[in-house]
């Protein structure tokens, strides 16, 4: 296979299960992040029952993302790739799955807040909803980068830059939301749970950037 082997393989075999599977994986990960956003919006609106339904769907999406990840890794190992190419692609798929894992982590803190009946002000829920909305946008750019990978490197780079921009936006919101939580009149337990929730959201955005960085490495190492 040539130096552009993996991306050639990725682009020419458009019906190949790995390429289609990577896109499907990204969409399921987006489903998980979208449900997280809807759950936070429901909490901001005081609709706890609606939030719980969102969390249930999020957990199903995260489970489905795990299933696709496992299938993709099997496909990659069995494909016509060099050892390095396999490692690069498997690393990317696993990082992509970590986005759903951190979305689930954030969801568990929402569930804990509900189960412990911790009182969290509406403005704090809204601030975290905003944070999750920016993460959702980052995942959409990541999916676009996957779709253009191997066929339009300029478009891929454009979407990678957009993911990185979103990560910086989330970083700013992270410090604002942490500050807001500590300046609030919530009890210590609620502050701790909100802080962990905000941290999980920030990690979700960080992993989006890691995925984008991996795509950049794939592009530059193969001189595309």
């Amino acid at each position: 296979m040539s130096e552009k082997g993996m991306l050639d393989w990725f682009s020419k075999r458009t019906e190949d299960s790995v390429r289609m599977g990577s896109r499907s994986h990204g969409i399921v990960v987006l489903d998980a992040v979208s449900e997280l956003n809807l759950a936070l919006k429901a909490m901001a609106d005081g609709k706890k029952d609606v939030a719980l339904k969102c969390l249930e769907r999020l957990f199903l999406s995260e489970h489905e993302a795990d299933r696709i990840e496992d299938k993709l890794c099997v496909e990659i190992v069995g494909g016509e790739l060099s050892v390095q190419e396999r490692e690069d692609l498997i690393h990317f798929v696993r990082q992509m799955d970590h986005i759903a894992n951190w979305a689930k982590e954030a969801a568990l803190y929402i569930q804990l807040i509900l189960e412990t009946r911790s009182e969290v002000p509406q403005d704090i829920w809204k601030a975290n909803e905003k944070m999750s909305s920016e993460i959702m946008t980052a995942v959409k750019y990541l999916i676009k980068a996957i779709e253009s990978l191997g066929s339009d490197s300029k478009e891929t780079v454009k979407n990678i830059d957009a993911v990185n921009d979103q990560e910086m936006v989330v970083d700013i919101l992270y410090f604002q939301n942490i500050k807001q939580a500590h300046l609030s009149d919530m009890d210590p337990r609620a502050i701790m749970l909100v802080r962990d929730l905000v941290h999980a959201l920030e990690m979700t955005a960080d992993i989006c950037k890691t995925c984008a960085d991996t795509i950049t490495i794939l592009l530059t190492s193969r001189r595309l």
Side-chain angles (χ1 to χ4, degrees):
M1 193 170 282
S2 70
E3 67 173 352
K4 298 190 297 182
M6 187 179 75
L7 294 181
D8 284 343
W9 182 74
F10 209 71
S11 61
K12 290 177 182 175
R13 300 176 63 179
T14 54
E15 298 301 320
D16 184 87
S17 59
V18 173
R19 185 182 182 192
M20 298 303 291
S22 295
R23 184 178 181 279
S24 298
H25 190 217
I27 290 173
V28 173
V29 169
L30 177 60
D31 286 343
V33 175
S34 298
E35 291 297 345
L36 176 61
N37 175 256
L38 289 173
L40 288 165
K41 184 178 187 306
M43 293 301 292
D45 293 338
K47 298 176 180 177
K48 296 179 181 177
D49 290 343
V50 174
L52 284 171
K53 292 292 183 185
C54 295
L55 297 184
E56 289 175 6
R57 292 194 294 270
L58 187 159
F59 296 144
L60 290 174
S61 294
E62 191 271 341
H63 181 72
E64 176 64 8
D66 281 345
R67 189 190 68 78
I68 296 175
E69 177 201 10
D70 292 342
K71 183 180 177 183
L72 273 172
C73 289
V74 170
E75 294 280 350
I76 292 165
V77 170
E80 300 170 354
L81 298 169
S82 70
V83 172
Q84 185 60 53
E85 288 166 339
R86 287 176 188 168
E87 288 180 357
D88 289 344
L89 198 48
I90 286 175
H91 175 72
F92 172 76
V93 171
R94 286 182 172 162
Q95 290 300 318
M96 193 76 184
D97 201 67
H98 286 332
I99 297 172
N101 293 343
W102 276 106
K104 178 183 177 182
E105 184 89 2
L108 290 173
Y109 289 118
I110 297 173
Q111 188 171 304
L112 271 174
I113 289 170
L114 287 168
E115 290 178 356
T116 58
R117 299 185 180 183
S118 299
E119 292 295 330
V120 176
Q122 188 182 32
D123 59 337
I124 288 183
W125 286 120
K126 285 184 176 179
N128 285 293
E129 180 201 346
K130 168 66 176 170
M131 201 170 169
S132 67
S133 175
E134 299 294 347
I135 294 166
M136 198 164 56
T137 300
V139 177
K140 288 177 181 176
Y141 282 125
L142 204 51
I143 292 172
K144 288 181 180 179
I146 294 169
E147 290 172 340
S148 60
L149 185 62
S151 62
D152 187 342
S153 58
K154 288 184 179 178
E155 182 66 18
T156 303
V157 170
K158 176 183 169 185
N159 286 305
I160 287 170
D161 289 343
V163 173
N164 291 333
D165 288 344
Q166 286 302 114
E167 193 270 340
M168 287 190 283
V169 170
V170 172
D171 265 355
I172 293 170
L173 294 174
Y174 167 75
F175 287 110
Q176 290 178 350
N177 292 1
I178 288 289
K179 181 179 178 181
Q180 186 179 14
H182 283 283
L183 291 176
S184 73
D185 58 0
M186 292 188 292
D187 63 42
R189 182 175 62 189
I191 290 174
M192 183 180 69
L193 289 171
V194 168
R195 185 194 60 191
D196 289 343
L197 167 62
V198 175
H199 173 69
L201 290 171
E202 199 252 349
M203 286 301 298
T204 308
D206 281 353
I207 298 298
C208 287
K209 184 180 184 304
T210 300
C211 288
D213 290 344
T214 304
I215 295 175
T216 300
I217 291 169
L218 294 174
L219 288 174
T220 55
S221 66
R222 288 159 182 82
R223 301 173 185 174
L224 290 180

